[in-house]
Every structure is written in C-alpha cells, then in structure tokens.
Amino acid sequence: MNNDADDLTAAVRHALETTRATAACPFHWDVIIRVGDDAAESHAFERVRKMIRSDGTTWASEAIRAEIGRQLGEAADGQCPRCEK
C-alpha cells in the first residue's frame, strides 16, 4: 500500500475496496458499486487517515472526506446499472 500512500485518489480507492465499502462489478470491470456499509466506509476513512506518505506526513481529514465523497458519489448504488439492462 505504500506505493499508493502519496496518491490520495489511489489510497482512497484501495481503502474502499479492501474494506468492502465498494466493489467492482465482476462482469463490467469499469463499474464500481457502492455496497452501502457505513461501518466499512468509516473504516476506509480511518485507514487512509493513518497512512504515512513518503514525506512523513498524513492526509488532511477534509481532503480524505472530499475524496471518499467523490468516489462514493460516482459509484453505482447497490448494483451494476449495466447488469440491470
């Protein structure tokens, strides 16, 4: 994970995926699905908040919240819209 620690977008994506807050559709790899688990989303936030970047600093909580909100906002809610068709 250290490779992603300096890239907030990648760090948040990794944290959301590994805490199972989001998942990729198994049939449409480019569709990210929001699972809707508040605990998993909170856990993802804490994971990113505790990451140490290569310069020894951590990400600001506001920046993490904004990026998590952006990624969750772009994710499909609950199921893949392309599979529903």
Side-chain angles (χ1 to χ4, degrees), residues 25 27-31 76 79-85:
C25 173
F27 304 106
H28 306 101
W29 60 269
D30 57 332
V31 177
Q79 56 187 346
C80 176
R82 290 170 57 191
C83 288
E84 290 178 338
K85 294 179 181 179

Side-chain angles (χ1 to χ4, degrees), residues 1-2 7-8 10 15-16 22 34 36 38 44 46 57 59 67 70 73 75-76 80:
M1 185 62 219
N2 291 348
D7 179 357
L8 182 58
L16 289 170
T22 61
R34 182 179 186 173
D38 291 339
E46 289 301 322
T57 62
W59 291 103
E67 183 59 23
R70 185 189 71 75
C80 176

Side-chain angles (χ1 to χ4, degrees), residues 56-67:
T57 62
T58 57
W59 291 103
S61 294
E62 299 80 25
I64 299 167
R65 281 189 192 94
E67 183 59 23

